[in-house]
Amino acid sequence: MFRRIGNAVVRHPVWTIVAWLVAAVAIVATAPSLPSNSDESSFLPRSYESIKAADLQQKAFPSAFTPSAIALYQRTDGGKLTAADTQDVARITSELGKKHIDQVQKVVPGQPSKDGRHALTLVQMDSKNAGQPKQADAAKVLREDVKELVKGTHLDVKLGGSAAQALDQQDSSRRGQALIGIGTFVIILVTLLIIFRAPILAVLPLVLIGLVSAIANGLIAYATKLFDLQANSSISSILIVVLFGVGTDYFLFLMFRYRERLRAGDESKEAMVNAVGRVGEAIASAAGAVIIAFLALVLSTLGFLKQMGPALAIAVAATLIAGLTLIPAVVSLIGPKVFWPSKSWQQEPDNARFAALGRGVQRRPALTAVASGLVLLLLSLGTFGYKATFDLASGSMPKTKESMVVQDEMQRAYSAGAAAPTDVYLSSADGTPLDKGVFDAYAKKLGAVDGVASARMTQVNKDGTTADFTVTLKYEASTDKAIDAVGRVRQTAHSDAPDGTEALVGGMSSIYKDINTAVNHDYRTVFPVAAVLIMVILGLLLRSVVAPWYLIASVGLGFGATLGATVWIFQEGQGHSGLMFMLPVIMYLFVVAIGTDYNILMIARLREEAREGREPREAAGMALRHAGPTVAAAGFILAATFATMMLAGNSLLTEMGFAVSFGIAVAAFVMAMFFTPSLTALIGHAAWWPGHGDRAEEGAAGTAAGPIGSGRNPDEDRDEAVHDPSVRRG
């Protein structure tokens, strides 16, 4: 099949390129804009308690005051606020309310801090648009206006709260995307120049993948709108890396094999047809594993992961199609001039280092397997120290952003949980008015819960059927202590609710508690489903029941090593309270799915060498010699492109960039180079049970059936044996 695709594309390269250009123009011109939502509560299904509580609040207390923005005042000299300062705060609050800024519903003064050094203005916005870009726009206007109004006073003011965080997150995301994009381009360009010493080959993947990127983004926008998926700004940064990193991988897989066929004596166009035929199945299987793993995210209970899965799957699918059609078409038009001005493509290098590594694996497969496996196991020990953190806002922007400074200062000036209090809604089960005589006792029980600073009944709805108890925790809303405390508040709220009543616990800490539950659900669902589906793909590719088991086990070890190293670097080394909560899910999918790419490429080449009549150990050594350079180059580029995410300047993308780049490096340079080929050599022919995929069909090396996906007959392979130095040496 892949040889037929190669034939069709090489015969009609101009029409193939025109088809891609027409598709790009049509999709980009008509695609809807991609929305973004930074409201954590929108990520959860409506069945969770925190979301039920939010729905109840809107019904029972539609005019309840929930600040979306908070202006924090303090004197420029750091002293206590004077009476004149207090009057200035009241004046500014009043004038802000008179401006009638879009989305702003109410502006009221807040409580001064106990030390008398801080005052607040609280701004309520339309709750229906929480987390939407229009509220970030409102925060921008508010920030400019409040800073203008404070001029001429002795006050300094900063704007925080969820709307201001959304604004700062947007700015940080734009800056991060620019840095990631520039870093990715530079790394790919420089690395390809070093590998091929050919400027055309260095620039070509950037241009072609840029075209694919435009198409993929348009298709993602269509899918997001069609299936009403949630979007998050961090997805754009990940998409850049996935498209250019994975796209360059597939470009390298193809170009290394194209160069190999030219060296074997193939005519230029036939070399490209053979390259697509030889490596097409490996690329398709590798991309299939990645797509399946990403699509497993639709089983997630978190909205933004549900959107991320299909988005990344679309990106990889577009890259795969380009790798089998667009890239071969363009390269076949250019021909060997694509390697200009380098002449090295004409002679096969000795690959001395990889040949030596191959001989080492061939001679001592047991030692190689044990040593590489031990490295992975030792790194995996760090997973026992893993802790999660749930503050997506502060994780997605630097601590120096104004809204983050406000959050930190409010924690010091007020109770740590005052910025995001927890609400307990007590409702009548049968719709009759509540007995107000039980309120004080109920509030006292809530206030006695470990981790609660205070609890009081604040309001009752007009029908008297629902009461709102405001519970202030001792800890900042996103910390582990706050999440544990809100769990205890839930237990007390439910167990001590008066007869005939029901209690629901809402607020940010309650949302984070439910996100934690949802993520744990995803661990139990997404992980095994993705692993099983990848094993099915491996089984179909290799026609084996045995090989997929140890291949997926090796990738699982790579995941453990990656998570362990990330814990040691960020929690133990840098003192982070925990890793961002969604990191293990994303890391698992990237490391398991993309890491499987290199295993597939290596095991496919190993089988190809075995089909030439070599014994398992010799086949492993030769596979490492010939596929090693490709895996090393592709692994380095992909790891380096993911590492550019660390330039974004926020903990979420820094942790993600390190973890995924480290995991890919482990997958390429430990698993694919040593662990997989050494295990395959040890297991021998049994690795391919119940089939005999590694056996030559008839005769020796020169008359063996063609390698995977070649579609060639024995006579063609005999001709190849005459020209191909690697076959002669075998």
Side-chain angles (χ1 to χ4, degrees):
M1 181 181 80
F2 294 99
R3 185 175 175 81
R4 286 197 295 272
I5 292 173
N7 263 320
V9 169
V10 170
R11 271 203 308 269
H12 308 289
V14 175
W15 286 112
T16 303
I17 296 167
V18 168
W20 272 93
L21 291 174
V22 170
V25 171
I27 291 171
V28 171
T30 59
S33 59
L34 188 64
S36 181
N37 196 332
S38 59
D39 179 20
E40 285 92 338
S41 66
S42 67
F43 299 155
L44 288 167
R46 310 225 71 80
S47 57
Y48 281 85
E49 181 170 351
S50 59
I51 307 304
K52 288 180 178 178
D55 291 342
L56 177 60
Q57 177 196 340
Q58 290 187 3
K59 292 177 183 176
F61 307 103
S63 59
F65 190 90
T66 303
S68 299
I70 301 171
L72 178 67
Y73 305 89
Q74 58 184 349
R75 282 186 62 86
T76 53
D77 60 9
K80 291 188 176 183
L81 298 175
T82 65
D85 295 330
T86 304
Q87 289 178 356
D88 284 333
V89 170
R91 173 185 59 80
I92 292 168
T93 301
S94 175
E95 291 188 24
L96 275 179
K98 293 175 183 177
K99 287 182 177 291
H100 303 294
I101 298 169
D102 180 47
Q103 296 297 306
V104 173
Q105 295 179 329
K106 193 181 296 184
V107 182
V108 300
Q111 293 292 324
S113 62
K114 291 181 181 178
D115 61 8
R117 297 177 187 273
H118 298 82
L120 302 173
T121 293
L122 306 178
V123 181
Q124 178 177 298
M125 296 187 188
D126 187 351
S127 61
K128 295 177 182 177
N129 296 319
Q132 298 296 328
K134 59 180 67 177
Q135 294 208 346
D137 296 339
K140 185 177 182 180
V141 176
L142 276 168
R143 184 172 282 170
E144 292 170 353
D145 287 351
V146 76
K147 289 183 186 296
E148 186 65 31
L149 289 170
V150 87
K151 288 181 179 177
T153 70
H154 296 288
L155 296 171
D156 176 65
V157 64
K158 297 182 182 70
L159 191 76
S162 59
Q165 288 175 355
L167 172 64
D168 290 342
Q169 192 175 342
Q170 279 183 7
D171 293 339
S172 179
S173 177
R174 279 194 291 267
R175 175 180 175 274
Q177 284 180 39
L179 289 171
I180 289 168
I182 293 169
T184 298
F185 270 63
V186 170
I187 286 168
I188 292 174
L189 190 66
V190 171
T191 307
L192 290 179
L193 277 172
I194 293 171
I195 293 172
F196 293 107
R197 296 188 289 280
I200 297 175
L201 265 182
V203 174
L204 193 59
L206 296 175
V207 175
L208 298 181
I209 298 166
L211 176 65
V212 175
S213 174
I215 292 175
N217 275 292
L219 293 174
I220 289 165
Y222 273 120
T224 301
K225 184 175 181 179
L226 181 63
F227 298 105
D228 194 26
L229 301 170
Q230 295 290 343
N232 185 265
S233 56
S234 61
I235 292 176
S236 299
S237 301
I238 299 170
L239 271 176
I240 293 171
V241 177
V242 168
L243 281 162
F244 284 92
V246 173
T248 305
D249 263 13
Y250 298 161
F251 179 82
L252 282 172
F253 291 176
L254 189 66
M255 293 311 300
F256 269 92
R257 188 53 73 100
Y258 175 60
R259 186 175 66 177
E260 185 178 319
R261 298 311 312 151
L262 287 174
R263 287 170 176 165
D266 287 359
E267 181 271 330
S268 173
K269 292 187 180 297
E270 185 63 20
M272 180 53 72
V273 173
N274 285 336
V276 175
R278 291 285 185 108
V279 84
E281 186 177 1
I283 291 177
S285 299
V290 177
I291 291 167
I292 288 292
F294 286 160
L295 286 178
L297 280 176
V298 300
L299 300 175
S300 171
T301 49
L302 295 174
F304 77 98
L305 287 180
K306 278 179 178 289
Q307 194 267 348
M308 182 183 289
L312 297 178
I314 289 169
V316 174
T319 306
L320 166 64
I321 296 169
L324 296 177
T325 59
L326 180 62
I327 293 172
V330 173
V331 175
S332 68
L333 273 181
I334 301 172
K337 291 179 182 177
V338 76
F339 296 104
W340 178 89
S342 173
K343 305 281 188 185
S344 62
W345 66 271
Q346 297 173 350
Q347 295 128 10
E348 184 188 11
D350 292 334
N351 284 345
R353 292 179 183 176
F354 291 98
L357 291 174
R359 287 193 297 271
V361 170
Q362 182 177 337
R363 291 169 185 165
R364 301 180 183 84
L367 178 63
T368 305
V370 170
S372 53
L374 194 58
V375 169
L376 298 175
L377 277 173
L378 289 174
L379 287 173
S380 298
L381 295 177
T383 58
F384 293 107
Y386 167 73
K387 293 179 181 177
T389 183
F390 297 88
D391 190 354
L392 191 59
S394 64
S396 57
M397 71 185 95
K399 291 290 186 184
T400 53
K401 285 290 186 181
E402 186 171 327
S403 58
M404 292 295 97
V405 173
V406 170
Q407 180 174 289
D408 292 342
E409 289 184 358
M410 283 193 65
Q411 288 178 32
R412 290 191 293 268
Y414 296 82
S415 169
T422 295
D423 289 286
V424 177
Y425 299 102
L426 189 67
S427 299
S428 170
D430 57 7
T432 58
L434 294 168
D435 179 6
K436 296 181 180 180
V438 302
F439 288 171
D440 288 343
Y442 190 62
K444 190 174 293 185
K445 289 178 180 177
L446 293 173
V449 173
D450 183 26
V452 172
S454 64
R456 59 192 177 90
M457 199 284 292
T458 51
Q459 57 184 332
V460 179
N461 69 337
K462 62 181 181 180
D463 297 328
T465 56
T466 301
D468 177 9
F469 293 80
T470 299
V471 178
T472 304
L473 303 178
K474 295 179 181 178
Y475 319 108
E476 195 275 319
S478 65
T479 61
D480 288 339
K481 289 183 177 179
I483 292 168
D484 291 341
V486 87
R488 293 189 290 271
V489 169
R490 282 184 176 181
Q491 290 177 353
T492 300
H494 297 158
S495 62
D496 291 342
D499 293 340
T501 65
E502 297 173 345
L504 290 173
V505 180
M508 288 310 303
S509 293
S510 185
I511 288 172
Y512 293 137
K513 176 76 174 174
D514 286 339
I515 288 176
N516 188 31
T517 303
V519 169
N520 289 333
H521 165 270
D522 291 350
Y523 292 161
R524 296 189 299 269
T525 306
V526 176
F527 281 24
V529 168
V532 168
L533 292 176
I534 290 173
M535 284 182 67
V536 169
I537 288 177
L538 289 171
L540 292 173
L541 168 68
L542 303 174
R543 284 79 166 174
S544 166
V545 172
V546 176
W549 284 98
Y550 67 82
L551 289 176
I552 204 70
S554 72
V555 177
L557 268 177
F559 166 77
T562 303
L563 181 57
T566 308
V567 167
W568 277 332
I569 292 291
F570 290 97
Q571 288 185 203
E572 306 299 330
Q574 296 191 9
H576 289 196
S577 59
L579 302 179
M580 197 53 60
F581 67 91
M582 82 283 273
L583 186 63
V585 175
I586 294 172
M587 188 194 316
Y588 175 85
L589 292 169
F590 278 106
V591 173
V592 170
I594 296 178
T596 303
D597 279 11
Y598 305 123
N599 266 345
I600 287 174
L601 189 70
M602 185 62 73
I603 201 79
R605 185 63 189 238
L606 193 153
R607 184 176 71 170
E608 187 175 322
E609 296 294 338
R611 282 180 166 180
E612 296 291 347
R614 297 180 175 89
E615 287 302 308
R617 293 193 180 196
E618 184 188 3
M622 291 299 292
L624 183 51
R625 174 178 181 170
H626 292 294
T630 310
V631 170
F636 172 79
I637 287 179
L638 192 59
T641 51
F642 271 103
T644 60
M645 295 171 72
M646 298 173 71
L647 300 173
N650 65 67
S651 58
L652 170 60
L653 291 180
T654 298
E655 290 172 2
M656 193 182 299
F658 170 82
V660 177
S661 61
F662 184 87
I664 288 168
V666 166
F669 295 100
V670 180
M671 291 189 299
M673 291 277 197
F674 300 107
F675 197 62
T676 296
S678 60
L679 275 180
T680 306
L682 280 174
I683 297 171
H685 295 298
W688 308 98
W689 184 87
H692 301 287
D694 64 327
R695 305 292 180 91
E697 290 183 4
E698 287 182 10
T703 59
I708 59 168
S710 68
R712 303 174 68 187
N713 59 43
D715 290 334
E716 288 177 296
D717 285 310
R718 267 197 301 276
D719 292 338
E720 179 185 320
V722 174
H723 297 290
D724 193 337
S726 68
V727 175
R728 288 204 306 275
R729 272 193 296 274

